[in-house]
């Protein structure tokens, strides 16, 4: 949308060919991006440093460090039943989620403590006290409370970013008047994803705007992403006088439209847009095809075959195809292998791994840590460095090196193991004198990098300088760039490695800005302590022009010509496991939304979960413009999802309705039958 608006603005007007139109800022942005712009502009006027976003990994580190401190003190503020859980990584993630949901609904630490006491929830009282401590620590970090820090910008998480912008706008009439005079038209897309604070900010701007439009589909609000409340969209116009129901679909073909409409009709509640949706005349017909296959491997192979046929026979570009699944951890590896085998390119998305665990980053950080403290070098670390891209030793070369070191040790009359000899070889290169150059090359290479890093650290070089010297000495840049240019699987991996290294240098820049005197070892420890992947407030574009391979959650707001929805298994999709949490995050959100707890136990606990799973399936199916493929495995231990039957009730013609087929299960051959088949294949011309 941003690119399209910019292209139209920059288009030459035939009436005024010499006029060039430009804009000062992006016209399409997220609510968080606008809030950040308001805070940055206000800070610039006051002569203060601009705020910075406290990313998810950074926030997770702070929460876990504070929890570790509570444990060291005996956790007196936490209920005794919760103390054993404070050191579990999942508890820190849940606590962080609780604080974000409370902040998005306008609560502060004291409010959470009062609510916990009123509702007899001691875990909320403890979380409120922890929240107060968390705010004090992040404030001290922002103003330079650290011994090695200098005054810097305040760090705000996603919820604090919007709440701080609201405080500034509501507390400064001049600032609010300037923003209202500057922003005269407000259009909000996907308004079902707004949380209460974002809605307040949008409404504050829209009250005096010439146009204020909120567009959205409550049926596409899945699992309350980032605390979203779809009811806000309906409450924006309670009397319905200014509500316009969009009744025409401009992107779905008739068959896909009919299927999606049938799915929408099974969603709970009533909505006028579900039954009134129509199609413009002259639309090209499409296909909805379902398959029941005997194994997961057969399912992946069928999906790859369908995508390849759509590209070769129908001319659909690879970038106009997508494969959607419920859970990436269960289906992604198998699908990647099947697509690669069939020659189907995949547009690689950002790795869902913490930066420190990326294959290209982990050895760099380990090298910095060992250079600063040689005592941290143990056999496992030595083997990891030697077998990493920095050392370049494959398993055969590593085994040859171990044998060579062991041979020299036996000649000298020693009895040390090859593990000990590896560590000594990296610390002292003189022991390699009796080895061939091919055997000693990985050790000499890693040893040179350790010496370079140690020399830079000894000279007092900054984090970025140490990293840059090691990166230059490694010589990996030329090799990775060459591999990325050749394409293929190796090229894609080299491209990911280069992106990860660039992200490390960017992380080092931000780290040095906050702590200019920090050491390289401190940076390595800081990055290694991040246990979750990067948390971006805006979607990150996939790399390449291949088939998009992602979860149904990540597909919201996008569309493709051909979409394959895989893994429709009962028990996996819908996943009806109860999602109750230790800290009662869902209960807190319900209370703040006006849902009281009295009588809730009489309501089915799985009904809301089933509704959410059905909405997720609705989102996945509605991403297809022309061709929708749905598949599942049917076997002794696996049964297709109940959602699959909702795609099989329209017509008998494969083009006018879903083409459903059950593929037979392959029968295994005995050894005698296999020999007979091979003989027949040889003798039969």
């Amino acid at each position: 949308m941003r690119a399209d608006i910019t292209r139209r603005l920059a288009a030459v007007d035939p009436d005024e060919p010499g006029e060039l139109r430009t804009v000062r800022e992006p016209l399409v942005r997220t609510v968080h991006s606008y809030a950040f712009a308001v805070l940055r502009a206000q800070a610039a006027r006051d002569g203060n440093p601009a705020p910075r976003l406290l990313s998810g990994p950074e926030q997770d580190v702070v929460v876990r460090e504070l929890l570790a401190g509570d444990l060291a003190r005996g956790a007196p503020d936490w209920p005794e039943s919760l103390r054993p859980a404070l050191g579990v990584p999942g508890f820190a993630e849940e606590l962080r989620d609780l604080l974000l949901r409370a902040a998005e609904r306008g609560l502060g630490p004291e409010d959470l403590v009062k609510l916990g006491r009123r509702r007899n929830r001691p875990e909320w009282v403890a979380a409120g006290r922890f929240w107060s401590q968390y705010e004090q620590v992040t404030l001290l970090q922002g103003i330079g409370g650290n011994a090695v820090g200098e005054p810097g910008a305040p760090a705000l998480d996603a919820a604090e970013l919007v709440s701080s912008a609201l405080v500034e706008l509501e507390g400064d009439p001049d600032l609010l008047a300037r923003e209202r005079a500057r922003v005269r038209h407000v259009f909000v897309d996907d308004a079902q994803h707004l949380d209460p604070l974002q809605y307040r900010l949008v409404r504050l701007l829209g009250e005096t705007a010439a146009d204020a439009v909120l567009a959205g589909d409550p049926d596409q609000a899945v699992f309350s992403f980032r605390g979203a409340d779809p009811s806000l969209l309906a409450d924006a116009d309670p009397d319905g006088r200014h509500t316009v129901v969009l009744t025409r679909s401009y992107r779905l073909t008739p068959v896909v439209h009919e299927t999606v409409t049938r799915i929408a009709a099974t969603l709970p509640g009533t909505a006028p847009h579900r039954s009134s949706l129509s199609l413009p005349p002259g639309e090209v017909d499409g296909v909805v095809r379902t398959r029941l296959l005997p194994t997961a491997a057969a399912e992946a192979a069928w999906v790859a075959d369908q995508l390849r046929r759509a590209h070769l026979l129908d001319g659909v570009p690879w970038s106009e195809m997508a494969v959607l699944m419920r859970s990436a951890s269960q289906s992604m590896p198998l699908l990647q292998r099947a697509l690669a085998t069939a020659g189907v390119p995949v547009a690689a998305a950002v790795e869902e791994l913490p930066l420190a665990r990326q294959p290209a980053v982990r050895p760099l950080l380990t090298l910095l840590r060992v250079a600063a403290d040689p005592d941290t070098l143990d056999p496992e670390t030595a083997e990891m460095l030697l077998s990493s891209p920095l050392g370049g030793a494959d398993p055969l070369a590593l085994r040859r090196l171990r044998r060579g070191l062991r041979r020299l040790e036996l000649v000298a009359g020693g009895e040390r193991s090859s593990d000990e000899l590896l560590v000594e070889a990296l610390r002292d290169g003189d022991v390699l004198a009796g080895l061939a150059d091919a055997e000693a090359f990985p050790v000499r290479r890693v040893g040179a990098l350790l010496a370079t890093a140690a020399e830079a650290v000894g000279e007092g070089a900054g984090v970025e300088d140490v990293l840059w010297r090691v990166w230059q000495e490694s010589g990996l840049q030329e090799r990775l760039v060459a591999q990325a240019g050749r394409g293929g699987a190796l090229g894609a991996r080299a491209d990911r490695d280069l992106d990860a290294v660039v992200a490390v240098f960017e992380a080092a820049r931000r780290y040095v800005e906050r702590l200019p005197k920090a050491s390289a070892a401190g940076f390595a420890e800081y990055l290694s302590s991040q246990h979750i992947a990067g948390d971006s407030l805006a979607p990150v574009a996939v790399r390449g022009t291949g088939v998009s391979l992602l979860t149904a959650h990540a597909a919201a707001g996008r569309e493709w010509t051909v979409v394959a929805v895989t893994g429709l298994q009962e028990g996996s999709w819908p996943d009806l496991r109860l999602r109750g949490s230790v800290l009662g995050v869902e209960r807190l959100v319900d209370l703040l939304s006006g849902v009281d707890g009295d009588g809730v136990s009489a309501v089915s606990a799985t009904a809301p979960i089933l509704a959410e799973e059905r909405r997720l399936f609705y989102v996945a199916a509605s991403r297809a413009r022309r061709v929708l493929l749905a598949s599942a495995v049917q076997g002794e231990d696996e049964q297709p999802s109940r959602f699959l039957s909702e795609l099989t009730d329209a017509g008998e013609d494969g083009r006018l309705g879903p083409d459903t087929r059950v593929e037979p299960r392959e029968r295994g051959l005995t050894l005698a039958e296999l020999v007979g088949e091979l003989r027949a294949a040889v003798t039969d011309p």
Side-chain angles (χ1 to χ4, degrees), residues 183-195:
V183 181
R184 292 167 295 178
H185 306 273
V186 180
F187 302 95
V188 182
D189 193 18
D190 285 331
Q192 73 273 7
H193 294 316
L194 293 177
D195 63 43

Side-chain angles (χ1 to χ4, degrees), residues 466-516:
V466 176
L467 267 177
W468 180 246
R469 291 193 198 181
V470 171
W471 177 248
Q472 280 191 313
E473 180 70 21
S474 69
L476 290 177
Q477 178 176 332
E478 293 77 10
R479 189 174 73 184
L480 290 177
V481 169
Q483 285 182 353
R486 287 194 291 266
L490 290 178
R493 181 164 52 182
D495 192 41
R496 290 194 295 269
D497 290 344
L498 287 171
D499 285 349
V501 172
V502 172
V504 167
F505 278 97
E506 176 63 19
R509 181 191 64 79
R510 295 196 303 266
Y511 184 76
V512 171
E513 285 180 354
R514 292 191 293 115
L515 303 172

Side-chain angles (χ1 to χ4, degrees), residues 434-559:
L435 293 181
D437 290 341
E439 293 176 326
F441 177 74
V443 179
R444 291 196 176 102
R445 188 173 177 180
V446 174
L449 294 175
L450 284 171
T452 299
E455 180 182 357
V457 171
E459 294 175 358
V463 176
E464 293 175 287
D465 191 21
V466 176
L467 267 177
W468 180 246
R469 291 193 198 181
V470 171
W471 177 248
Q472 280 191 313
E473 180 70 21
S474 69
L476 290 177
Q477 178 176 332
E478 293 77 10
R479 189 174 73 184
L480 290 177
V481 169
Q483 285 182 353
R486 287 194 291 266
L490 290 178
R493 181 164 52 182
D495 192 41
R496 290 194 295 269
D497 290 344
L498 287 171
D499 285 349
V501 172
V502 172
V504 167
F505 278 97
E506 176 63 19
R509 181 191 64 79
R510 295 196 303 266
Y511 184 76
V512 171
E513 285 180 354
R514 292 191 293 115
L515 303 172
K517 307 300 182 182
S519 64
F523 169 72
E525 186 63 30
Y526 157 77
L527 211 59
S528 300
S529 62
Q530 297 181 0
H531 290 181
I532 61 175
D535 188 14
S536 174
L537 293 176
V540 180
V542 296
R543 295 189 290 269
T545 57
V547 175
S548 298
L549 189 62
L550 64 171
T551 63
H553 300 81
R558 302 178 63 186
E559 60 180 22

Side-chain angles (χ1 to χ4, degrees), residues 33-43 45 165 168-169 175 179:
S33 173
Y34 172 76
F36 180 81
V38 170
L39 295 175
R40 181 175 57 185
Q42 187 69 1
R45 293 189 187 98
E168 292 290 341
L169 289 171
L175 175 63
E179 286 299 308

Side-chain angles (χ1 to χ4, degrees), residues 2-351:
R2 180 185 298 167
D4 187 44
I5 292 177
T6 304
R7 177 182 56 80
R8 297 188 184 200
L9 281 175
V12 177
D13 190 345
D15 298 332
E16 300 179 4
E19 182 180 358
L20 179 64
R21 290 171 291 185
T22 61
V23 293
R24 293 175 297 176
E25 61 183 71
L27 293 180
V28 182
R29 62 199 319 171
T30 64
V31 179
H32 297 89
S33 173
Y34 172 76
F36 180 81
V38 170
L39 295 175
R40 181 175 57 185
Q42 187 69 1
R45 293 189 187 98
D46 298 340
N48 298 324
R52 70 177 186 88
L53 175 65
L54 186 65
S55 66
E58 291 178 302
Q59 191 179 19
D60 182 69
V61 169
V62 175
V63 170
R64 284 191 290 104
E65 287 180 347
L66 292 178
L67 286 175
D70 286 352
L71 273 175
R73 295 187 299 110
D77 293 334
W78 289 95
E80 186 175 355
S81 59
L82 286 180
R83 291 172 189 172
L86 297 186
V88 179
F91 184 83
E93 184 177 349
E94 188 173 318
L95 178 58
R96 174 171 165 262
D97 187 44
L98 177 73
L99 301 186
L100 286 174
R101 300 294 83 80
E104 287 161 354
R105 280 150 179 79
L107 265 64
E110 299 81 5
D111 301 321
L112 186 57
V113 171
K114 293 178 181 178
L115 182 62
R117 288 172 177 166
R118 189 166 63 248
R119 291 287 174 173
N120 194 24
R121 302 295 294 255
E123 64 273 17
W124 293 355
V125 176
R129 293 171 179 165
F130 176 89
W131 191 0
S132 178
Q133 179 188 8
Y134 166 82
E135 285 188 341
Q136 295 171 7
V137 169
T138 53
L139 181 61
L140 284 174
Q141 288 180 344
I143 64 175
N146 193 293
V148 294
E150 294 181 356
L156 304 174
D157 59 37
E160 291 172 337
L161 206 60
V162 179
S163 62
S164 298
L166 273 171
V167 169
E168 292 290 341
L169 289 171
E170 293 175 343
D172 189 342
D174 294 335
L175 175 63
L176 180 59
R178 285 196 303 267
E179 286 299 308
R180 283 178 167 176
R182 189 178 65 86
V183 181
R184 292 167 295 178
H185 306 273
V186 180
F187 302 95
V188 182
D189 193 18
D190 285 331
Q192 73 273 7
H193 294 316
L194 293 177
D195 63 43
L197 282 182
Q198 296 174 21
Y199 177 72
R200 279 179 55 192
L201 181 59
V202 169
R203 187 169 183 174
L204 195 64
L205 290 175
E207 286 178 348
T208 59
D211 293 301
V213 178
L214 272 68
D217 181 4
D219 291 338
Q220 297 188 34
V222 182
F223 296 116
S224 300
F225 177 68
R226 292 193 189 278
D229 187 355
S231 65
L232 296 172
L233 179 60
D235 296 341
D237 184 26
D239 54 6
R241 291 185 301 170
H242 304 288
T243 298
V244 178
V245 179
L246 303 180
T247 60
R248 174 162 292 186
S249 172
Y250 290 93
R251 67 181 185 87
L252 301 180
T253 56
V255 171
V256 178
H257 164 259
E258 181 182 356
T259 302
V260 171
T261 302
R262 188 165 56 254
I263 297 173
T266 63
L267 296 173
T270 59
H273 66 279
R274 295 177 185 170
S275 58
S276 59
L277 196 63
S278 63
L279 290 168
E283 283 293 327
V284 179
D285 204 358
V287 175
V288 177
R289 187 174 294 123
T290 62
R291 282 293 187 277
L292 298 178
L293 297 116
T295 63
E299 180 186 20
W302 178 79
V303 170
D305 176 72
Q306 293 297 307
L307 298 182
R308 187 171 178 82
R309 288 174 180 271
H311 179 70
L312 296 178
L313 301 181
D314 300 332
V316 180
W318 294 120
S319 58
E320 282 295 316
M321 305 182 193
V323 181
L324 308 182
M325 65 208 74
R326 175 64 177 84
S327 173
S329 60
Q330 297 177 355
S331 307
M332 188 79 76
L334 191 61
L335 284 167
Q336 286 176 330
R337 288 194 297 269
L339 294 175
T341 302
V344 177
V346 175
V350 176
E351 294 281 352

